[in-house]
PDB file of all heavy atoms in Angstrom:
ATOM      1  N   HIS A  27     -18.588  40.017  65.648  1.00 95.00           N
ATOM      2  CA  HIS A  27     -18.132  40.602  64.515  1.00 95.00           C
ATOM      3  C   HIS A  27     -19.287  41.415  63.666  1.00 95.00           C
ATOM      4  O   HIS A  27     -20.453  40.882  63.795  1.00 95.00           O
ATOM      5  CB  HIS A  27     -17.301  39.753  63.539  1.00 95.00           C
ATOM      6  CG  HIS A  27     -16.321  38.992  64.203  1.00 95.00           C
ATOM      7  ND1 HIS A  27     -15.312  39.666  64.998  1.00 95.00           N
ATOM      8  CD2 HIS A  27     -16.042  37.619  64.250  1.00 95.00           C
ATOM      9  CE1 HIS A  27     -14.526  38.715  65.394  1.00 95.00           C
ATOM     10  NE2 HIS A  27     -14.905  37.537  65.002  1.00 95.00           N
ATOM     11  N   ASP A  28     -18.995  42.492  63.096  1.00 96.00           N
ATOM     12  CA  ASP A  28     -20.010  43.309  62.404  1.00 96.00           C
ATOM     13  C   ASP A  28     -19.746  43.413  60.952  1.00 96.00           C
ATOM     14  O   ASP A  28     -18.530  43.658  60.417  1.00 96.00           O
ATOM     15  CB  ASP A  28     -19.988  44.689  62.908  1.00 96.00           C
ATOM     16  CG  ASP A  28     -20.547  44.877  64.213  1.00 96.00           C
ATOM     17  OD1 ASP A  28     -21.454  43.986  64.609  1.00 96.00           O
ATOM     18  OD2 ASP A  28     -20.077  45.653  65.053  1.00 96.00           O
ATOM     19  N   VAL A  29     -20.733  43.312  60.066  1.00 98.00           N
ATOM     20  CA  VAL A  29     -20.630  43.827  58.670  1.00 98.00           C
ATOM     21  C   VAL A  29     -20.910  45.354  58.781  1.00 98.00           C
ATOM     22  O   VAL A  29     -22.135  45.668  59.085  1.00 98.00           O
ATOM     23  CB  VAL A  29     -21.672  43.040  57.807  1.00 98.00           C
ATOM     24  CG1 VAL A  29     -21.592  43.630  56.426  1.00 98.00           C
ATOM     25  CG2 VAL A  29     -21.386  41.607  57.843  1.00 98.00           C
ATOM     26  N   VAL A  30     -19.963  46.131  58.566  1.00 97.00           N
ATOM     27  CA  VAL A  30     -20.092  47.679  58.680  1.00 97.00           C
ATOM     28  C   VAL A  30     -20.760  48.407  57.530  1.00 97.00           C
ATOM     29  O   VAL A  30     -21.125  49.476  57.637  1.00 97.00           O
ATOM     30  CB  VAL A  30     -18.815  48.253  59.248  1.00 97.00           C
ATOM     31  CG1 VAL A  30     -18.499  48.059  60.690  1.00 97.00           C
ATOM     32  CG2 VAL A  30     -17.598  47.982  58.348  1.00 97.00           C
ATOM     33  N   GLY A  31     -20.583  47.726  56.386  1.00 98.00           N
ATOM     34  CA  GLY A  31     -21.224  48.311  55.211  1.00 98.00           C
ATOM     35  C   GLY A  31     -21.002  47.525  53.849  1.00 98.00           C
ATOM     36  O   GLY A  31     -20.197  46.514  53.829  1.00 98.00           O
ATOM     37  N   LEU A  32     -21.802  47.960  52.903  1.00 98.00           N
ATOM     38  CA  LEU A  32     -21.773  47.372  51.631  1.00 98.00           C
ATOM     39  C   LEU A  32     -21.570  48.411  50.545  1.00 98.00           C
ATOM     40  O   LEU A  32     -22.260  49.407  50.532  1.00 98.00           O
ATOM     41  CB  LEU A  32     -23.132  46.717  51.278  1.00 98.00           C
ATOM     42  CG  LEU A  32     -23.258  46.259  49.789  1.00 98.00           C
ATOM     43  CD1 LEU A  32     -22.444  45.039  49.396  1.00 98.00           C
ATOM     44  CD2 LEU A  32     -24.645  46.169  49.314  1.00 98.00           C
ATOM     45  N   ILE A  33     -20.570  48.189  49.678  1.00 98.00           N
ATOM     46  CA  ILE A  33     -20.382  49.073  48.528  1.00 98.00           C
ATOM     47  C   ILE A  33     -20.685  48.347  47.296  1.00 98.00           C
ATOM     48  O   ILE A  33     -20.300  47.237  47.074  1.00 98.00           O
ATOM     49  CB  ILE A  33     -18.909  49.644  48.528  1.00 98.00           C
ATOM     50  CG1 ILE A  33     -18.591  50.482  49.716  1.00 98.00           C
ATOM     51  CG2 ILE A  33     -18.728  50.398  47.210  1.00 98.00           C
ATOM     52  CD1 ILE A  33     -17.160  50.745  49.924  1.00 98.00           C
ATOM     53  N   CYS A  34     -21.582  48.815  46.356  1.00 98.00           N
ATOM     54  CA  CYS A  34     -22.009  48.224  45.165  1.00 98.00           C
ATOM     55  C   CYS A  34     -21.749  49.204  44.121  1.00 98.00           C
ATOM     56  O   CYS A  34     -21.936  50.401  44.209  1.00 98.00           O
ATOM     57  CB  CYS A  34     -23.399  47.948  45.280  1.00 98.00           C
ATOM     58  SG  CYS A  34     -24.201  47.129  43.802  1.00 98.00           S
ATOM     59  N   ASP A  35     -21.237  48.741  42.892  1.00 96.00           N
ATOM     60  CA  ASP A  35     -20.932  49.586  41.756  1.00 96.00           C
ATOM     61  C   ASP A  35     -22.139  49.518  40.754  1.00 96.00           C
ATOM     62  O   ASP A  35     -21.967  50.135  39.738  1.00 96.00           O
ATOM     63  CB  ASP A  35     -19.705  48.975  40.970  1.00 96.00           C
ATOM     64  CG  ASP A  35     -19.890  47.626  40.578  1.00 96.00           C
ATOM     65  OD1 ASP A  35     -20.241  46.803  41.300  1.00 96.00           O
ATOM     66  OD2 ASP A  35     -19.520  47.474  39.369  1.00 96.00           O
ATOM     67  N   ARG A  36     -23.366  48.894  41.113  1.00 95.00           N
ATOM     68  CA  ARG A  36     -24.448  48.978  40.214  1.00 95.00           C
ATOM     69  C   ARG A  36     -25.674  49.335  41.019  1.00 95.00           C
ATOM     70  O   ARG A  36     -26.048  48.556  42.003  1.00 95.00           O
ATOM     71  CB  ARG A  36     -24.569  47.628  39.566  1.00 95.00           C
ATOM     72  CG  ARG A  36     -23.913  47.401  38.341  1.00 95.00           C
ATOM     73  CD  ARG A  36     -24.262  45.980  37.657  1.00 95.00           C
ATOM     74  NE  ARG A  36     -25.682  45.809  37.824  1.00 95.00           N
ATOM     75  CZ  ARG A  36     -26.239  44.588  38.021  1.00 95.00           C
ATOM     76  NH1 ARG A  36     -25.400  43.514  37.981  1.00 95.00           N
ATOM     77  NH2 ARG A  36     -27.548  44.351  38.090  1.00 95.00           N
ATOM     78  N   LYS A  37     -26.128  50.456  40.689  1.00 94.00           N
ATOM     79  CA  LYS A  37     -27.290  51.011  41.617  1.00 94.00           C
ATOM     80  C   LYS A  37     -28.631  50.116  41.505  1.00 94.00           C
ATOM     81  O   LYS A  37     -29.485  50.321  42.301  1.00 94.00           O
ATOM     82  CB  LYS A  37     -27.620  52.463  41.311  1.00 94.00           C
ATOM     83  CG  LYS A  37     -28.007  52.923  40.004  1.00 94.00           C
ATOM     84  CD  LYS A  37     -28.286  54.383  40.016  1.00 94.00           C
ATOM     85  CE  LYS A  37     -28.902  54.959  38.715  1.00 94.00           C
ATOM     86  NZ  LYS A  37     -28.160  54.637  37.522  1.00 94.00           N
ATOM     87  N   ASP A  38     -28.791  49.289  40.437  1.00 96.00           N
ATOM     88  CA  ASP A  38     -29.887  48.466  40.340  1.00 96.00           C
ATOM     89  C   ASP A  38     -29.652  47.009  40.954  1.00 96.00           C
ATOM     90  O   ASP A  38     -30.381  46.103  40.695  1.00 96.00           O
ATOM     91  CB  ASP A  38     -30.429  48.383  38.911  1.00 96.00           C
ATOM     92  CG  ASP A  38     -29.363  47.963  37.939  1.00 96.00           C
ATOM     93  OD1 ASP A  38     -28.115  47.913  38.383  1.00 96.00           O
ATOM     94  OD2 ASP A  38     -29.630  47.640  36.869  1.00 96.00           O
ATOM     95  N   ALA A  39     -28.487  46.768  41.555  1.00 98.00           N
ATOM     96  CA  ALA A  39     -28.184  45.409  41.824  1.00 98.00           C
ATOM     97  C   ALA A  39     -28.999  44.903  43.034  1.00 98.00           C
ATOM     98  O   ALA A  39     -29.262  45.668  43.999  1.00 98.00           O
ATOM     99  CB  ALA A  39     -26.751  45.313  42.258  1.00 98.00           C
ATOM    100  N   PRO A  40     -29.523  43.623  42.936  1.00 98.00           N
ATOM    101  CA  PRO A  40     -30.312  43.048  44.070  1.00 98.00           C
ATOM    102  C   PRO A  40     -29.531  43.089  45.427  1.00 98.00           C
ATOM    103  O   PRO A  40     -30.192  43.162  46.495  1.00 98.00           O
ATOM    104  CB  PRO A  40     -30.485  41.580  43.658  1.00 98.00           C
ATOM    105  CG  PRO A  40     -30.334  41.694  42.088  1.00 98.00           C
ATOM    106  CD  PRO A  40     -29.375  42.667  41.771  1.00 98.00           C
ATOM    107  N   VAL A  41     -28.245  43.107  45.409  1.00 98.00           N
ATOM    108  CA  VAL A  41     -27.535  43.154  46.658  1.00 98.00           C
ATOM    109  C   VAL A  41     -27.908  44.328  47.544  1.00 98.00           C
ATOM    110  O   VAL A  41     -27.871  44.310  48.709  1.00 98.00           O
ATOM    111  CB  VAL A  41     -25.978  42.970  46.462  1.00 98.00           C
ATOM    112  CG1 VAL A  41     -25.439  44.189  45.863  1.00 98.00           C
ATOM    113  CG2 VAL A  41     -25.345  42.618  47.890  1.00 98.00           C
ATOM    114  N   LEU A  42     -28.282  45.524  46.859  1.00 98.00           N
ATOM    115  CA  LEU A  42     -28.536  46.620  47.569  1.00 98.00           C
ATOM    116  C   LEU A  42     -29.906  46.467  48.327  1.00 98.00           C
ATOM    117  O   LEU A  42     -29.963  46.942  49.435  1.00 98.00           O
ATOM    118  CB  LEU A  42     -28.650  47.828  46.644  1.00 98.00           C
ATOM    119  CG  LEU A  42     -27.220  48.397  46.219  1.00 98.00           C
ATOM    120  CD1 LEU A  42     -27.531  49.490  45.013  1.00 98.00           C
ATOM    121  CD2 LEU A  42     -26.549  49.140  47.338  1.00 98.00           C
ATOM    122  N   GLU A  43     -30.879  45.751  47.704  1.00 98.00           N
ATOM    123  CA  GLU A  43     -32.132  45.450  48.361  1.00 98.00           C
ATOM    124  C   GLU A  43     -31.916  44.590  49.577  1.00 98.00           C
ATOM    125  O   GLU A  43     -32.431  44.828  50.633  1.00 98.00           O
ATOM    126  CB  GLU A  43     -33.044  44.724  47.409  1.00 98.00           C
ATOM    127  CG  GLU A  43     -33.611  45.644  46.345  1.00 98.00           C
ATOM    128  CD  GLU A  43     -34.321  46.823  46.915  1.00 98.00           C
ATOM    129  OE1 GLU A  43     -35.051  46.740  47.930  1.00 98.00           O
ATOM    130  OE2 GLU A  43     -34.203  47.985  46.428  1.00 98.00           O
ATOM    131  N   ARG A  44     -31.017  43.644  49.462  1.00 98.00           N
ATOM    132  CA  ARG A  44     -30.613  42.733  50.620  1.00 98.00           C
ATOM    133  C   ARG A  44     -30.052  43.636  51.752  1.00 98.00           C
ATOM    134  O   ARG A  44     -30.373  43.343  52.927  1.00 98.00           O
ATOM    135  CB  ARG A  44     -29.668  41.698  50.134  1.00 98.00           C
ATOM    136  CG  ARG A  44     -30.234  40.685  49.180  1.00 98.00           C
ATOM    137  CD  ARG A  44     -28.991  39.519  48.928  1.00 98.00           C
ATOM    138  NE  ARG A  44     -29.312  38.760  47.877  1.00 98.00           N
ATOM    139  CZ  ARG A  44     -29.707  37.545  47.899  1.00 98.00           C
ATOM    140  NH1 ARG A  44     -30.183  37.062  48.969  1.00 98.00           N
ATOM    141  NH2 ARG A  44     -29.903  36.778  46.649  1.00 98.00           N
ATOM    142  N   ALA A  45     -29.232  44.601  51.433  1.00 98.00           N
ATOM    143  CA  ALA A  45     -28.638  45.310  52.419  1.00 98.00           C
ATOM    144  C   ALA A  45     -29.713  46.186  53.178  1.00 98.00           C
ATOM    145  O   ALA A  45     -29.571  46.299  54.404  1.00 98.00           O
ATOM    146  CB  ALA A  45     -27.626  46.290  51.767  1.00 98.00           C
ATOM    147  N   LYS A  46     -30.629  46.772  52.347  1.00 98.00           N
ATOM    148  CA  LYS A  46     -31.736  47.499  52.976  1.00 98.00           C
ATOM    149  C   LYS A  46     -32.503  46.592  53.961  1.00 98.00           C
ATOM    150  O   LYS A  46     -32.626  46.971  55.045  1.00 98.00           O
ATOM    151  CB  LYS A  46     -32.667  48.018  51.972  1.00 98.00           C
ATOM    152  CG  LYS A  46     -32.233  49.238  51.253  1.00 98.00           C
ATOM    153  CD  LYS A  46     -33.198  49.723  50.252  1.00 98.00           C
ATOM    154  CE  LYS A  46     -32.447  50.461  49.129  1.00 98.00           C
ATOM    155  NZ  LYS A  46     -33.057  50.581  47.969  1.00 98.00           N
ATOM    156  N   ARG A  47     -32.887  45.408  53.447  1.00 98.00           N
ATOM    157  CA  ARG A  47     -33.674  44.415  54.303  1.00 98.00           C
ATOM    158  C   ARG A  47     -32.850  44.112  55.597  1.00 98.00           C
ATOM    159  O   ARG A  47     -33.431  43.980  56.654  1.00 98.00           O
ATOM    160  CB  ARG A  47     -34.018  43.167  53.553  1.00 98.00           C
ATOM    161  CG  ARG A  47     -35.233  43.200  52.806  1.00 98.00           C
ATOM    162  CD  ARG A  47     -35.777  41.775  52.471  1.00 98.00           C
ATOM    163  NE  ARG A  47     -34.804  40.937  51.978  1.00 98.00           N
ATOM    164  CZ  ARG A  47     -34.612  40.827  50.638  1.00 98.00           C
ATOM    165  NH1 ARG A  47     -35.042  41.525  49.760  1.00 98.00           N
ATOM    166  NH2 ARG A  47     -33.644  39.901  50.275  1.00 98.00           N
ATOM    167  N   LEU A  48     -31.557  43.899  55.493  1.00 98.00           N
ATOM    168  CA  LEU A  48     -30.767  43.462  56.535  1.00 98.00           C
ATOM    169  C   LEU A  48     -30.262  44.757  57.437  1.00 98.00           C
ATOM    170  O   LEU A  48     -29.546  44.446  58.484  1.00 98.00           O
ATOM    171  CB  LEU A  48     -29.599  42.694  56.085  1.00 98.00           C
ATOM    172  CG  LEU A  48     -29.901  41.326  55.447  1.00 98.00           C
ATOM    173  CD1 LEU A  48     -28.816  40.871  54.586  1.00 98.00           C
ATOM    174  CD2 LEU A  48     -30.271  40.299  56.467  1.00 98.00           C
ATOM    175  N   GLN A  49     -30.652  45.829  56.944  1.00 98.00           N
ATOM    176  CA  GLN A  49     -30.244  47.183  57.655  1.00 98.00           C
ATOM    177  C   GLN A  49     -28.782  47.240  57.936  1.00 98.00           C
ATOM    178  O   GLN A  49     -28.259  47.612  58.963  1.00 98.00           O
ATOM    179  CB  GLN A  49     -31.036  47.138  59.036  1.00 98.00           C
ATOM    180  CG  GLN A  49     -32.466  47.173  58.830  1.00 98.00           C
ATOM    181  CD  GLN A  49     -33.250  47.395  60.226  1.00 98.00           C
ATOM    182  OE1 GLN A  49     -33.028  46.766  61.154  1.00 98.00           O
ATOM    183  NE2 GLN A  49     -34.196  48.336  60.231  1.00 98.00           N
ATOM    184  N   ILE A  50     -28.210  46.999  56.749  1.00 98.00           N
ATOM    185  CA  ILE A  50     -26.718  47.181  56.638  1.00 98.00           C
ATOM    186  C   ILE A  50     -26.498  48.517  56.009  1.00 98.00           C
ATOM    187  O   ILE A  50     -27.026  48.691  54.782  1.00 98.00           O
ATOM    188  CB  ILE A  50     -25.956  46.074  55.961  1.00 98.00           C
ATOM    189  CG1 ILE A  50     -26.273  44.670  56.590  1.00 98.00           C
ATOM    190  CG2 ILE A  50     -24.581  46.266  55.734  1.00 98.00           C
ATOM    191  CD1 ILE A  50     -25.633  44.424  58.015  1.00 98.00           C
TER     192      ILE A  50
END
Side-chain angles (χ1 to χ4, degrees):
H27 306 310
D28 286 327
V29 178
V30 285
L32 165 79
I33 296 170
C34 180
D35 62 313
R36 275 185 37 211
K37 61 180 188 304
D38 57 346
V41 68
L42 284 169
E43 287 305 316
R44 293 185 195 257
K46 278 181 210 156
R47 272 204 309 277
L48 293 161
Q49 299 186 308
I50 301 290

